[in-house]
Amino acid sequence: MTDSPAPVPAIEITDLTKVYAGGKRALDGINLTIPRGQIYGLLGPNGAGKSTTINILAGLVNKTSGTARIWGFDIDQNPRNAKNSIGIVPQEIVFDPFFTPFETLENQAGYYAVPKERRRSMELLRAVHLEDKANAYARTLSGGMKRRLLVAKAMVHSPPILVLDEPTAGVDVQLRQQLWAYVRELNHQGVTIVLTTHYLEEAEELCDRIGIINHGRVITDKPTRELIAMAQEKVVQVTVDRDVAVLPADPSFEKVELADERTLTITYLKNRANAGQVLNAVQASGLSIVDVVTRDPDLEDVFLNLTAAA
Ligand code: ADP
Ligand code: MG
């Protein structure tokens, strides 16, 4: 093989805007580069513009201006290749209730002109645990089953990118675990995953990189670990040897509260103090420390701070 150039990103979005008929500006200049091979989380409060962005990539919504490239293919100049490079599970569940799951996948394969010998409808149904429903009517499936069928449908043409828009909204915990297991497996096989979710814990656990959008703009786009490190507030719970009569005070404390008679909850900013200083201050107030529990800041802290500021 000859030297190959650096691979183009999985998705590249530049100055993307969308004004809906009626005047709602849903996207106000989105810029995003989603690298290949990752699990990328697109987060943002309701109405932020996540689905609009994804539906533009899917060809379901026409953009107002800007460009989008999928696997290097411009969605305007090369729509067929762009479309073939991506599989999308939309937020809204829509499909023909009179087809069986097997037929649904076969129809989709036909739509993408996947040759018979390369179809793998049963394999996909097995992967999403719907094998035994292969010949049931789609309308008899539960919500969670329909969602999984849509994931299989999105993978029919073996795209290198799979996008899931709020895939676990309304899906129970067990199904969620199954869905994420499948998504992880696809990612291990090399599929780039993009998902939107409201469950921050899930994004934190699953995603390599996270973009947060609000009011149609990108407020941040970083590796998950860096994003979490941005949270400055840390909390330490200190259990002491006697009932606390007077709350200790110290410049290193941001906030101090009593959780119960002998437990203090102290918040401090990690750029201004460290746990050692906080604990020393407690001891200096005459209390002996019996136990200490710390809580690290999580994505929720960062998310709330960023979206509140924007
Ligand atoms: P999210 O998926 O982040 O919740 P959406 O992309 O669905 O956000 O919506 C972004 C904004 O665009 C919202 O204010 C929403 O009400 C508006 N919007 C979405 N779809 C339409 C539409 N078809 N017509 C008019 N406004 C829309
Ligand atoms: Mg949405």
Side-chain angles (χ1 to χ4, degrees):
M1 266 184 73
T2 51
D3 281 355
S4 44
V8 295
I11 294 173
E12 217 174 351
I13 291 171
T14 313
D15 296 331
L16 195 65
T17 71
K18 173 64 187 179
V19 181
Y20 280 106
K24 173 71 202 176
R25 179 173 286 268
L27 302 184
D28 192 22
I30 295 274
N31 290 287
L32 270 182
T33 300
I34 300 179
R36 291 187 182 200
Q38 296 210 326
I39 301 186
Y40 185 95
L42 192 58
L43 306 189
N46 246 326
K50 304 180 297 291
S51 293
T52 301
T53 304
I54 283 168
N55 290 338
I56 289 171
L57 296 174
L60 299 170
V61 166
N62 290 321
K63 63 188 164 61
T64 302
S65 65
T67 58
R69 290 176 164 270
I70 301 172
W71 217 248
F73 301 112
D74 187 288
I75 60 169
D76 292 328
Q77 287 160 22
N78 221 327
R80 181 186 288 257
N81 284 333
K83 235 185 165 113
N84 282 337
S85 304
I86 198 165
I88 297 199
V89 184
Q91 185 171 352
E92 306 296 332
I93 296 182
V94 271
F95 45 148
D96 195 322
F98 296 104
F99 288 114
T100 67
F102 183 79
E103 288 165 345
T104 301
L105 298 192
E106 286 294 307
N107 291 346
Q108 183 78 351
Y111 174 77
Y112 277 98
V114 179
K116 278 262 185 307
E117 68 277 8
R118 284 187 42 219
R119 293 191 186 176
R120 46 197 192 105
S121 300
M122 274 321 284
E123 183 192 324
L124 284 168
L125 288 175
R126 218 172 295 131
V128 298
H129 303 279
L130 282 178
E131 208 178 350
D132 56 336
K133 295 284 176 188
N135 300 312
Y137 283 116
R139 66 182 143 81
T140 66
L141 304 182
S142 71
M145 290 175 181
K146 285 177 182 159
R147 183 76 64 188
R148 283 180 286 152
L149 178 55
L150 285 180
V151 175
K153 192 178 164 197
M155 290 306 297
V156 150
H157 57 297
S158 308
I161 307 170
L162 175 65
V163 179
L164 306 117
D165 193 2
E166 310 261 358
T168 53
V171 173
D172 71 44
V173 175
Q174 196 191 348
L175 283 180
R176 217 185 284 171
Q177 293 303 334
Q178 283 179 9
L179 191 61
W180 290 142
Y182 180 53
V183 161
R184 278 207 176 93
E185 187 189 316
L186 286 173
N187 182 246
H188 283 147
Q189 291 165 14
V191 179
T192 302
I193 310 286
V194 180
L195 59 97
T196 74
T197 176
H198 267 88
Y199 300 98
L200 295 177
E201 265 174 45
E202 209 160 72
E204 189 168 342
E205 186 191 317
L206 210 64
C207 300
D208 303 304
R209 193 177 175 91
I210 288 176
I212 298 180
I213 66 175
N214 199 16
H215 303 304
R217 287 173 164 271
V218 177
I219 23 182
T220 186
D221 173 27
K222 284 188 175 11
T224 307
R225 230 181 266 162
E226 266 180 47
L227 201 57
I228 290 164
M230 283 169 65
Q232 293 297 344
E233 281 198 350
K234 293 198 69 154
V235 176
V236 56
Q237 266 207 344
V238 185
T239 307
V240 294
D241 64 334
R242 74 201 76 147
D243 289 3
V244 179
V246 182
L247 281 178
D250 192 76
S252 66
F253 301 170
E254 186 68 13
K255 199 167 73 185
V256 53
E257 288 169 334
L258 271 184
D260 59 49
E261 301 80 36
R262 297 188 175 196
T263 309
L264 296 160
T265 304
I266 302 170
T267 306
Y268 64 98
L269 299 181
K270 68 177 191 194
N271 57 342
R272 289 218 223 114
N274 60 47
Q277 286 169 288
V278 170
L279 297 180
N280 284 340
V282 172
Q283 278 170 326
S285 73
L287 298 163
S288 294
I289 295 171
V290 177
D291 196 14
V292 175
V293 179
T294 59
R295 183 177 76 77
D296 275 334
D298 61 16
L299 195 56
E300 183 140 16
D301 300 321
V302 185
F303 185 76
L304 290 175
N305 283 340
L306 286 171
T307 52

